[in-house]
Amino acid sequence: IVAADGNAFVLFSATSDLEAVNQRLMEEDLEDITVIPQGTDAEAALQLFMNTPRSVVLGLKSFWEGVDVVGSKLRLVIIPKLPFPQPSEPVIQARGRLMRNEAMARGMAERDAEGLVFRMIQIPAMITDLRQGVGRLIRSTSDKGVCAILDSRVWSGSSKKPPMLTQNKYLGYGELVINAIGFQQRTSDFNLVAKFLAQIK
């Protein structure tokens, strides 16, 4: 956020995560960058962001889609966690239950049926939402910026193997995630990110 001089969205799928990060940012030296946590009025938060130099929005679902900020006001989108749907969501529950029951009726073991639900329902839903969030960054042909995905599952996917952030290989569904967002220039080196952000200020 400091490297981008503000001009950032941090996108969350859970209010508790937003509140925890907001609390942590209040304890950090952000060099007079204004932090705007989304409240009940997303439009008011967006307008405050647009009218406040060196600001950052901590946003929920309203900021993942339908928000257009063209130009240098938005240079950075941070996604702390991959936006998997909550298993308790009624539609996700119903679709998962139907798929699981059909799979088990065909003789699939319960554990394998759960894995099928994850692959066929949870992962596609997450990728759809992720594309929406990443899409906030580039709204015109001249837009430039950084999308920072901080979730180590980008590297490891479902693998039990600990992620190596210097690797060039993405494991499990991590490769699906990276291919879905379409960015060709990728790095885990913060210094390169900071240098790029300095160039586009």
Side-chain angles (χ1 to χ4, degrees):
I1 290 169
V2 173
D5 212 21
N7 305 298
F9 284 175
V10 187
L11 301 180
F12 300 90
S13 49
T15 303
S16 58
D17 289 340
L18 183 153
E19 291 171 348
V21 169
N22 185 40
Q23 181 62 41
R24 179 64 184 270
L25 289 178
M26 287 174 22
E27 300 165 3
E28 295 286 330
D29 178 12
L30 294 182
E31 301 179 8
D32 297 322
I33 291 170
T34 302
V35 177
I36 305 167
Q38 178 188 337
T40 55
D41 190 343
E43 182 61 31
L46 178 61
Q47 289 306 314
L48 183 57
F49 171 75
M50 296 300 295
N51 296 325
T52 307
R54 306 186 75 241
S55 59
V56 54
V57 167
L58 309 184
L60 291 165
K61 187 66 176 173
S62 306
F63 279 87
W64 286 81
E65 55 189 53
V67 175
D68 286 329
V69 180
V70 178
S72 62
K73 180 57 185 164
L74 184 62
R75 298 189 190 103
L76 173 64
V77 170
I78 301 173
I79 298 174
K81 288 184 181 176
L82 295 175
F84 280 101
Q86 296 295 325
S88 59
E89 289 181 20
V91 172
I92 295 295
Q93 268 190 339
R95 290 181 63 205
R97 185 167 48 247
L98 179 63
M99 182 175 289
R100 186 167 44 250
N101 291 343
E102 287 178 351
M104 291 173 66
R106 293 194 308 268
M108 186 177 284
E110 184 175 358
R111 182 175 177 180
D112 293 337
E114 290 288 352
L116 181 67
V117 169
F118 182 72
R119 290 192 309 275
M120 301 302 292
I121 295 177
Q122 294 271 356
I123 290 176
M126 176 270 291
I127 286 176
T128 297
D129 284 347
L130 183 66
R131 281 175 170 161
Q132 292 278 5
V134 171
R136 299 313 94 211
L137 184 64
I138 305 298
R139 306 308 298 168
S140 77
T141 55
S142 60
D143 280 354
K144 296 178 182 178
V146 169
C147 176
I149 301 175
L150 308 184
D151 193 326
S152 63
R153 291 175 293 181
V154 166
W155 299 95
S156 62
S158 301
S159 171
K160 303 295 184 193
K161 184 178 178 182
M164 294 175 57
L165 299 185
T166 56
Q167 69 191 21
N168 293 317
K169 183 178 179 185
Y170 303 92
L171 304 177
Y173 63 77
E175 186 171 6
L176 291 175
V177 169
I178 291 301
N179 290 338
I181 61 176
F183 282 57
Q184 297 304 311
Q185 294 179 300
R186 310 165 190 157
T187 184
S188 58
D189 185 333
F190 176 75
N191 291 324
L192 289 178
V193 173
K195 183 177 179 182
F196 176 74
L197 287 168
Q199 288 173 348
I200 63 173
K201 279 185 183 179

